[in-house]
Amino acid sequence: MNNYIFENQFKEDILKEASKIGFRISNNKPFNKILLEFITVRLKLIEPRRRTVKMSPPLLNKLFTHHKRKEIEHLFHQASSGNNINRFQSKKLLQSRFHDHMLNEWHIYHFHLSLELENKSKYVKQVDDLLFAYVDQNHIIFLDADKHKPGIFANEKWLEILHDFFPELISEFKVEHWKDVNPKVNAEERQQIWDKGYTLGMTKIRDTIYFSPGIGRSTSGHGMDVTSNVGNIIRWMHKLDIQISECIQELCIYLNTTKDKIDFKVIFGSEHLQVVEISSKISIVNFPEELISKKELKEKLKSK
């Protein structure tokens, strides 16, 4: 067994999973490119799940008289119920070459404020009225609404709202002992820098410096979290292949199977990638964990 077997098998599962989500990847591409395209799209999708959902004070203050109040409240209730809100994102969402710089830099999403579907599409009409939100595993914070206009996606006011009203959500990104950052740019200049493939890495909000919550982007346009995940998954698969090869005899005993039957597969688990032994249907490890050492496995067998 080697990691190329893992790659060939997992490549087929990625293609099937992409098809389920609603996009296609050419199976003629090498594994690392297929994984890159898949994760690029997958990380733009907001997993439907219950989170703590809030509106910022600036948004609440204008909500009663806002001309898109109905749409904002509908989106808020959908998010609060843990429903799928991806249809309010860009209709380019499933395009692997479409890179959302604001998401890559600041982990801030934008939603189109319409309840009508685009013609022959699963997405709402791509209107100029947008709602911006900070999203992580446990929170959706609807920051404010604004029009689609130059610089709006790179306007530091979105981070200012988090800094002023939800500082605990971005406190881990604070840069201690720094007083300023350079170059000093306005929203439109920052957007131009992003569009040309550069990342600034840090932003000054009031008197505080923050690392970019979204980590940033590479010159290819891919988010740093995307390229990091791709590298980590490939290294994880390669490491497991070596560990399995070294411990194959002990694993056969532990899983109560034989060398001619034992076989391993990488699958999409409910929350993580998993390696399962096919004949016994036993999950042996979740990403990014590794197997215990051969010595530890032998000790475990002695204690059984």
Side-chain angles (χ1 to χ4, degrees), residues 4 19 30 46 62-63 65 81 89-90 95 122 161 177 192 237 260 285 288 296:
Y4 297 109
S19 181
I46 299 171
K62 66 174 69 170
L63 182 62
T65 57
S81 300
Q89 291 204 66
S90 169
Q95 297 178 17
K122 296 180 180 179
I161 293 172
H177 312 302
Q192 289 174 5
M237 290 169 59
D260 61 319
V285 70
E296 290 173 302

Side-chain angles (χ1 to χ4, degrees), residues 52-241:
T52 299
V53 182
K54 296 180 180 180
M55 290 190 197
S56 74
L59 180 58
L60 284 170
N61 287 341
K62 66 174 69 170
L63 182 62
F64 185 75
T65 57
H66 199 282
H67 68 288
K68 288 289 185 177
R69 176 182 176 181
K70 179 181 177 181
E71 289 81 357
I72 294 171
E73 289 182 335
H74 176 81
L75 191 46
F76 179 84
H77 291 309
Q78 289 293 305
S80 298
S81 300
N83 294 333
N84 193 328
I85 58 174
N86 288 305
R87 68 183 182 278
F88 294 95
Q89 291 204 66
S90 169
K91 63 182 180 181
K92 297 179 181 178
L93 182 66
L94 299 183
Q95 297 178 17
S96 61
R97 292 185 179 181
F98 170 66
H99 304 297
D100 188 330
H101 305 326
M102 187 182 197
L103 176 59
N104 289 340
E105 294 286 341
W106 292 344
H107 227 278
I108 293 174
Y109 292 74
H110 69 277
F111 305 96
H112 293 269
L113 289 173
S114 174
L115 300 180
E116 295 182 59
L117 290 179
E118 190 90 1
N119 289 336
K120 299 180 181 180
S121 172
K122 296 180 180 179
Y123 298 90
V124 300
K125 285 191 174 181
Q126 307 289 281
V127 295
D128 285 340
D129 290 287
L130 305 173
L131 182 62
F132 293 81
Y134 180 81
V135 182
D136 62 23
Q137 288 296 311
N138 301 308
H139 306 85
I140 296 180
I141 308 297
F142 290 108
L143 302 170
D144 208 346
D146 211 326
K147 292 282 188 181
H148 191 300
K149 57 190 178 185
I152 193 60
F153 298 107
N155 195 315
E156 63 191 40
K157 71 177 182 178
W158 309 118
L159 289 181
E160 286 177 354
I161 293 172
L162 287 169
H163 173 87
D164 292 345
F165 302 104
F166 307 97
E168 70 282 0
L169 295 185
I170 56 173
S171 60
E172 65 180 294
F173 304 110
K174 278 186 180 180
V175 182
E176 301 293 343
H177 312 302
W178 282 46
K179 301 297 183 183
D180 212 346
V181 294
N182 286 291
K184 300 185 189 310
V185 295
N186 59 35
E188 290 190 39
E189 290 168 339
R190 182 181 290 110
Q191 186 67 59
Q192 289 174 5
I193 290 171
W194 289 355
D195 291 343
K196 289 181 178 180
Y198 300 101
T199 186
L200 292 172
M202 292 179 283
T203 308
K204 184 177 182 180
I205 304 298
R206 312 297 187 207
D207 294 322
T208 304
I209 311 298
Y210 291 96
F211 285 117
S212 296
I215 304 178
R217 52 163 290 175
S218 62
T219 52
S220 67
H222 297 93
M224 295 290 194
D225 55 347
V226 170
T227 55
S228 175
N229 268 283
V230 169
N232 289 338
I233 290 171
I234 291 175
R235 283 189 291 272
W236 174 70
M237 290 169 59
H238 179 65
K239 178 66 174 178
L240 284 176
D241 172 68

